[in-house]
Amino acid sequence: KNEVEQSPQNLTAQEGEFITINCSYSVGISALHWLQQHPGGGIVSLFMLSSGKKKHGRLIATINIQEKHSSLHITASHPRDSAVYICAVGSYNTDKLIFGTGTRLQVFP
Amino acid sequence: DAGVTQSPTHLIKTRGQQVTLRCSPKSGHDTVSWYQQALGQGPQFIFQYYEEEERQRGNFPDRFSGHQFPNYSSELNVNALLLGDSALYLCASSSLMNTEAFFGQGTRLTVV
């Protein structure tokens, strides 16, 4: 079992839909990261959070430390949101990130 | 601020050859981590450099080595390339005081 699990693996949505991507982890963490990766590879950091909730534009990230679970929400989805969304955790006493395998999102007009 | 820059962006090498990939961290960052991302997989941690020394290492063979320079830039070297080394290699920089990582665009290595 992977230390970081994401669901779903693939997600298809119509423009305007509300989207939720889930991440569960099994290790103690210092922070959880949500990342976006477009075709071609470059990774953009969306959020880093260790508790509660963060919002940036149409993106919202929440984390429940007790349940070792985080969600990424996209409101009013748009075709330009199509990308792979990756959850990664930084564990205690180390700066290395442990990545989930990503959720591939496609938003159609 | 140019952010994290990696070079080259794409590279094709032959089995058995050696390759060097380069990374310049974001301004103000002193820590560089390297990751390998195989097709369809999440990135896997290779190693991390801080103060010109390897601080942590993932489960990669000794064929993978690195270096960090006084200006905090870093190189990843892979010797005796195998077909299975074909992947996207990502560099991430951070500051020891703040664990938020910023990623480069990656170098796509193809071994033929």
Side-chain angles (χ1 to χ4, degrees):
Chain A
K1 190 178 185 332
N2 293 333
E3 293 170 297
V4 181
E5 298 272 0
Q6 285 186 238
S7 64
Q9 286 188 314
N10 294 282
L11 189 52
T12 302
Q14 287 294 123
E15 184 172 357
E17 285 186 7
F18 180 84
I19 288 162
T20 295
I21 300 170
N22 295 299
C23 175
S24 296
Y25 53 92
S26 58
V27 296
I29 69 167
S30 55
L32 182 143
H33 303 250
W34 280 103
L35 310 163
Q36 181 192 56
Q37 186 171 37
H38 281 277
I43 288 181
V44 174
S45 178
L46 299 175
F47 295 103
M48 182 180 75
L49 64 166
S50 54
S51 65
K53 175 180 173 178
K54 285 189 176 180
K55 184 176 189 290
H56 181 68
R58 296 181 293 107
L59 302 178
I60 302 167
T62 64
I63 187 167
N64 185 318
I65 297 296
Q66 287 73 31
E67 295 184 3
K68 295 188 174 180
H69 181 269
S70 176
S71 293
L72 175 68
H73 306 285
I74 304 176
T75 61
S77 61
H78 190 276
R80 65 175 174 265
D81 297 326
S82 299
V84 175
Y85 291 84
I86 304 174
C87 170
V89 301
S91 59
Y92 285 121
N93 301 317
T94 175
D95 290 335
K96 79 172 189 181
L97 295 177
I98 305 170
F99 290 77
T101 54
T103 295
R104 185 173 300 276
L105 170 66
Q106 289 184 291
V107 181
F108 292 99
Chain B
D1 181 8
V4 181
T5 58
Q6 289 186 244
S7 63
T9 55
H10 295 83
L11 199 52
I12 300 175
K13 288 286 190 178
T14 304
R15 229 173 357 170
Q17 285 188 312
Q18 178 265 346
V19 69
T20 297
L21 311 181
R22 295 176 176 83
C23 172
S24 292
K26 181 177 168 61
S27 177
H29 284 182
D30 53 15
T31 302
V32 173
S33 302
W34 287 92
Y35 295 86
Q36 180 196 64
Q37 186 178 25
L39 200 61
Q41 303 294 317
Q44 298 291 317
F45 176 75
I46 303 174
F47 43 52
Q48 182 185 80
Y49 277 84
Y50 171 70
E51 290 190 341
E52 302 179 50
E53 290 194 356
E54 185 181 288
R55 187 164 170 259
Q56 299 177 64
R57 189 178 182 92
N59 190 24
F60 278 80
D62 292 344
R63 297 187 298 110
F64 289 77
S65 63
H67 189 77
Q68 186 178 34
F69 299 93
N71 67 353
Y72 307 120
S73 66
S74 177
E75 289 182 348
L76 163 65
N77 300 293
V78 187
N79 293 323
L81 284 167
L82 303 175
L83 296 179
D85 295 330
S86 296
L88 179 71
Y89 288 84
L90 293 160
C91 167
S93 76
S94 59
S95 165
L96 207 60
M97 303 302 292
N98 181 346
T99 57
E100 182 167 14
F102 289 79
F103 287 83
Q105 289 293 307
T107 294
R108 188 165 297 282
L109 172 66
T110 303
V111 182
V112 298

